[in-house]
Amino acid sequence: MSLFENTLKQIEKAASIMKLDENVKRILSVPQREVEVNLPVKMDDGSLKIFKGFRVQHNNAAGPYKGGIRYHQQVDMGEVKALSAWMTIKCSVVGIPLGGGKGGIIVDPKQLSLGELERLTRAYVRAIEPVIGPETDVPAPDVNTNSQIMDWFADEYSKIRGKDLRGVVTGKSLEAGGSKGRNNATAQGGVYVLEEYAKTVSLNPKETKVIIQGFGNAGGVVAKLLSKAGYEIVGVSDSQGGIFCSQGLNVDELTSCKVEKKSVVNCGGATCKKVSNEELLEQECDILVLAALENQVSAKNAGNIKAKVILELANGPVMPEADEILDKKGIIAIPDILANAGGVTVSYFEMLQNADGKYWSEEEVNPKLKDIMVSAWEEVSANSKKYNCNLRDAAFITSLLRLEQKIREKGLI
Ligand code: NAD
């Protein structure tokens, strides 16, 4: 089953519980626009390489399309379509006036020099320039893209249009018009939601062991935030593999070690054992944070998960077939469309600041983010009780109720 089919399955399930208007479901089951581009890039050795890129605009009933750009060797149109649909759903879960989009380029950025990466990014901007803009479609970082890439993006777009249009993209550096708090936003938003959940089960951080899959923007930051809040981090992984340390890990040391030794597998010391990515997910812990890629928990391994709670900072890390098994085992999955919505929320704040030309302090950003995440959590938990369903179905229902209204207001049904 393709990733996009997974997304449709999730929409279908929530739609049948809440009895969503059939035509709303039909509208949301197809993206509004799918763009595929071929990007010629001059390489450092003088050769020319052609890279394939995508931008999918899923739905803009709630506002301009919004969603990150992924640089990865396994990106394809199906994945980008799924990610764009989740963006539409996610923005609506937290009630921000944005729609859903996503982009990607088939590339392993680790194989490119900085200059090649810049030329590739600028070529991508030139190719999709006709369909994006600060009020139409605003990309952002995702896997393997960062503020430097967003700065090139904003610069190239502004050059083409002949004026400063840095609001075309979010996740920029502070110097180029980024928002304070954006770097931490995805993880911070997830932590705010986890704290709300923790209150409902009187969870004590000091007695709670956490495993984190993925140690990039989302995973690396959540490790710092959770460890600061008193949680014990007992396992981590990245694309090279993982380590499990029953005695706990020092996150600051781990972060410096990862920079120095390139992967968490080379860190941790004698009290840690090396494990594969698959093995890490099945180790003893209370909370499993998924912060890498999609399709990590399937029907095959869901039965072996020992965590009581899964916090989904990645998009689509739990497959629909696994949900049923987790439900039966009483494992709570705090779904991606709620748990990782902090990133797009602070991206929205960045759009507001760019339009206004006035910039907020981190002390202003975080309480605004918290308000939005806590309200979304409350709405989703209330819908979970009202419709007697798990948190994923409840988050979809929360989102679809708002989208149905927007689509109706537009006179589309
Ligand atoms: P990133 O590129 O900064 O980090 C990804 C991490 O995952 C890296 O540590 C990488 O080594 C690791 N990884 C890759 N394959 C792995 C595997 N098979 N097993 C274990 N680790 C693996 O990316 P990110 O921005 O942190 O994104 C991670 C996830 O969070 C993605 O699903 C992304 O869509 C989602 N997300 C990110 C944001 C954001 O603001 N960055 C917002 C919402 C959702």
Side-chain angles (χ1 to χ4, degrees):
M1 187 179 286
S2 77
L3 199 63
F4 189 55
E5 281 166 331
N6 285 353
T7 320
L8 295 182
K9 224 175 167 180
Q10 293 170 331
I11 294 177
E12 180 74 45
K13 186 158 173 245
S16 77
I17 300 172
M18 66 184 283
K19 306 202 174 7
L20 180 71
D21 184 293
E22 191 60 29
N23 284 333
V24 173
K25 195 175 80 189
R26 289 173 62 208
I27 288 172
L28 294 174
S29 296
V30 281
Q32 289 173 332
R33 183 185 276 147
E34 297 168 34
V35 179
E36 186 174 317
V37 291
N38 293 304
L39 312 166
V41 177
K42 247 192 209 158
M43 307 305 282
D44 290 348
D45 65 4
S47 67
L48 183 91
K49 257 197 181 162
I50 304 206
F51 295 87
K52 193 168 280 299
F54 309 94
R55 183 75 189 164
V56 175
Q57 297 174 333
H58 176 259
N59 192 277
N60 64 353
Y65 304 105
K66 186 86 192 81
I69 303 161
R70 181 171 290 196
Y71 286 3
H72 198 275
Q73 54 278 24
Q74 271 148 19
V75 162
D76 61 33
M77 184 57 102
E79 179 183 49
V80 180
K81 274 166 69 172
L83 291 164
S84 73
W86 280 323
M87 286 307 298
T88 304
I89 302 288
K90 186 185 306 182
C91 292
S92 178
V93 173
V94 286
I96 53 177
L98 296 172
K102 201 83 183 187
I105 300 178
I106 306 173
V107 58
D108 178 359
K110 289 186 191 131
Q111 306 301 321
L112 301 193
S113 70
L114 202 63
E116 290 168 341
L117 199 59
E118 176 173 356
R119 293 195 289 281
L120 174 66
T121 301
R122 290 184 184 276
Y124 179 60
V125 178
R126 290 193 295 275
I128 65 166
E129 171 270 329
V131 298
I132 58 169
E135 286 162 2
T136 47
D137 181 357
V138 183
D142 190 68
V143 174
N144 291 330
T145 52
N146 55 22
S147 57
Q148 170 64 83
I149 293 175
M150 299 306 116
D151 289 357
W152 290 328
F153 198 110
D155 180 65
E156 187 67 21
Y157 185 82
S158 298
K159 274 185 185 144
I160 297 168
R161 295 288 171 114
K163 55 184 166 182
D164 178 356
L165 288 170
R166 64 184 70 190
V168 67
V169 71
T170 59
K172 300 180 290 289
S173 67
L174 293 179
E175 299 73 33
S179 174
K180 295 219 167 93
R182 175 63 185 87
N183 234 12
N184 286 5
T186 302
Q188 183 65 73
V191 170
Y192 287 144
V193 171
L194 183 66
E195 284 170 350
E196 293 307 301
Y197 166 77
K199 285 182 199 161
T200 67
V201 289
S202 307
L203 183 147
N204 177 2
K206 296 213 160 50
E207 290 162 5
T208 306
K209 293 182 190 302
V210 182
I211 286 179
I212 302 170
Q213 185 196 38
F215 207 72
N217 177 278
V221 177
V222 87
K224 274 188 209 154
L225 297 175
L226 290 180
S227 142
K228 207 170 149 203
Y231 291 85
E232 191 180 3
I233 313 300
V234 293
V236 291
S237 66
D238 58 27
S239 58
Q240 310 295 306
I243 48 172
F244 179 71
C245 319
S246 53
Q247 312 290 313
L249 271 157
N250 178 320
V251 173
D252 288 336
E253 281 174 16
L254 178 68
T255 308
S256 327
C257 175
K258 159 124 179 143
V259 174
E260 193 193 325
K261 298 191 176 163
K262 303 286 176 237
S263 167
V264 295
V265 290
N266 305 319
C267 307
T271 55
C272 299
K273 64 171 181 180
K274 284 196 169 93
V275 288
S276 70
N277 256 309
E278 294 72 31
E279 286 163 347
L280 184 74
L281 305 188
E282 300 177 9
Q283 302 296 312
E284 216 49 74
C285 68
D286 301 295
I287 300 177
L288 174 62
V289 182
L290 298 174
L293 292 171
E294 51 268 11
N295 292 349
Q296 299 300 303
V297 179
S298 64
K300 250 190 180 160
N301 62 354
N304 303 332
I305 303 274
K306 301 194 182 61
K308 299 176 193 81
V309 180
I310 297 179
L311 182 69
E312 300 180 6
L313 291 187
N315 286 303
V318 174
M319 298 168 84
E321 62 194 41
D323 266 336
E324 224 172 283
I325 301 169
L326 298 178
D327 284 348
K328 276 199 191 125
K329 288 187 72 179
I331 298 174
I332 305 292
I334 304 181
D336 47 6
I337 51 171
L338 170 65
N340 72 29
V344 72
T345 301
V346 176
S347 274
Y348 170 56
F349 296 165
E350 185 174 330
M351 289 167 71
L352 295 178
Q353 294 169 77
N354 288 163
D356 201 26
K358 292 197 186 102
Y359 288 83
W360 310 347
S361 67
E362 196 151 350
E363 291 67 37
E364 285 173 89
V365 170
N366 282 337
K368 286 181 207 282
L369 171 63
K370 186 170 182 179
D371 274 358
I372 290 179
M373 297 307 294
V374 172
S375 307
W377 162 263
E378 285 168 354
E379 240 181 303
V380 170
S381 327
N383 278 330
S384 163
K385 291 194 184 86
K386 181 174 171 188
Y387 291 93
N388 190 26
C389 60
N390 66 25
L391 289 174
R392 187 180 321 283
D393 294 333
F396 269 88
I397 290 170
T398 304
S399 170
L400 291 169
L401 285 166
R402 263 197 271 277
L403 282 167
E404 179 169 21
Q405 197 184 338
K406 296 278 176 207
I407 288 171
R408 223 175 264 291
E409 278 164 16
K410 293 210 165 231
L412 292 171
I413 53 165

